[in-house]
Amino acid sequence: MPDEHRLEEKFLSQEAERRISEKLDDAEKIEIDVQTDLLKIVQGQADGVSVVGQGLVIQEDIRVQEIQLQTDTISINPFSALLGQIELNEPVNTIARIILTETDINRTLASDFVSSQMQDFDLDVDGKIVSFEAKKIEIFLPGDGKIECQGRVLLKEMGNTRPLAYTAIARPRTRSQPAMLESFNCTEGGGISIEVVTALMQKAKELMNIPYFKWEDMVFHIKDIKVETGSLILMLETQVRQIPSSSNFSST
């Protein structure tokens, strides 16, 4: 009885869409498809969940242009599911494709949330500590697989602090090539020594080769990055421990 099965799917999908939409500040489009039927619900199973979203806004300043997400088979709480709530009994493997525009990225970088998460980083330069305090970062996506970063930092070395502006061009790690830093130029602040540049290049290499990042209790493994003119496309794998609640969308 496929039509009857679709009734269960539609009920759960619509309820999931409603609950997720309530947690977002804005959404141009959000479609959730829970692939299951009544028998599987009673058994606490679902074949998977797919999510398609456009223009999703979280915490006012964090925006995702597009997301496509698909889970593996999941184990759910049957009693909650019958009431229209999807509660996971076990973590579920998820594959996601996320598109971020240049505007979205810079809007996020300028947000209070990101500012609160930014930390100074230290470099060991011939046994002496040189510190960088990020003040401003802007990202530009000119195409040809390149990411241009323009920023300002406070450079702290040998007891002195001075402002420094820079421009860097990099190619992110992909399935077919390692991360590469093509250029780094100081545009204001008198420049930095070769020793500091060498240590900074090594730090940039470490950051660009990070295979994953964390958000709340989820770890996202970066499988591929594609840079197009004006947009960044990420292919991610993660384990979702629970369908997002209000706590997942609040800053820490």
Side-chain angles (χ1 to χ4, degrees):
M1 302 289 289
D3 290 341
E4 291 183 5
H5 293 171
R6 287 300 300 168
L7 289 176
E8 287 98 53
E9 290 184 353
K10 287 181 179 179
F11 171 69
L12 277 178
S13 299
Q14 290 173 357
E15 183 63 16
E17 287 176 16
R18 184 186 68 81
R19 290 177 178 274
I20 295 297
S21 296
E22 287 178 350
K23 310 305 178 185
L24 297 169
D25 290 334
D26 192 16
E28 295 174 11
K29 174 184 176 182
I30 180 75
E31 293 182 357
I32 299 177
D33 181 19
V34 181
Q35 297 123 30
T36 189
D37 58 45
L38 184 57
L39 178 59
K40 289 176 181 176
I41 291 175
V42 173
Q43 294 174 337
Q45 296 178 347
D47 293 330
V49 176
S50 63
V51 178
V52 175
Q54 293 180 351
L56 308 183
V57 180
I58 307 168
Q59 297 174 359
E60 297 184 357
D61 292 313
I62 301 176
R63 184 182 184 277
V64 174
Q65 174 63 26
E66 183 178 325
I67 182 171
Q68 298 176 11
L69 180 150
Q70 177 66 53
T71 74
D72 288 344
T73 300
I74 63 177
S75 174
I76 58 177
N77 183 323
F79 301 105
S80 298
L82 290 171
L83 296 175
Q85 302 176 34
I86 303 176
E87 295 182 2
L88 304 181
N89 287 335
E90 299 176 0
V92 58
N93 294 322
T94 302
I95 297 175
R97 180 177 185 268
I98 297 175
I99 299 178
L100 302 170
T101 68
E102 183 178 286
T103 300
D104 292 339
I105 294 170
N106 287 317
R107 174 179 174 180
T108 299
L109 290 173
S111 69
D112 292 338
F113 173 74
V114 170
S115 296
S116 68
Q117 302 298 313
M118 280 188 177
Q119 298 179 351
D120 297 358
F121 66 88
D122 299 332
L123 299 178
D124 187 334
V125 181
D126 295 335
K128 298 179 181 179
I129 300 300
V130 177
S131 298
F132 289 82
E133 179 185 344
K135 304 303 290 184
K136 181 180 179 181
I137 302 175
E138 286 187 283
I139 297 294
F140 301 92
L141 305 172
D144 194 28
K146 297 181 180 181
I147 298 176
E148 180 179 342
C149 178
Q150 296 182 9
R152 292 177 178 274
V153 299
L154 288 180
L155 175 62
K156 305 174 184 178
E157 60 177 335
M158 301 179 65
N160 298 317
T161 299
R162 60 188 175 93
L164 184 74
Y166 66 88
T167 297
I169 296 178
R171 291 180 183 270
R173 173 179 58 85
T174 67
R175 290 174 178 171
S176 59
Q177 69 176 28
M180 293 184 290
L181 184 63
E182 291 195 350
S183 65
F184 181 88
N185 298 304
C186 295
T187 56
E188 295 178 27
I192 51 181
S193 68
I194 293 176
E195 291 78 11
V196 173
V197 170
T198 302
L200 188 60
M201 293 289 188
Q202 181 60 38
K203 182 68 174 181
K205 179 181 177 181
E206 293 174 6
L207 293 174
M208 289 193 296
N209 280 307
I210 290 176
Y212 65 87
F213 62 93
K214 296 182 68 175
W215 183 48
E216 297 293 335
D217 63 345
M218 293 186 287
V219 177
F220 295 86
H221 293 272
I222 303 171
K223 306 307 291 183
D224 197 19
I225 301 175
K226 185 177 181 180
V227 183
E228 296 183 346
T229 304
S231 65
L232 189 67
I233 302 173
L234 303 175
M235 294 296 296
L236 309 173
E237 288 184 358
T238 187
Q239 267 201 343
V240 177
R241 297 183 179 277
Q242 198 51 260
I243 300 298
S245 62
S246 58
S247 60
N248 292 109
F249 292 108
S250 61
S251 59
T252 56

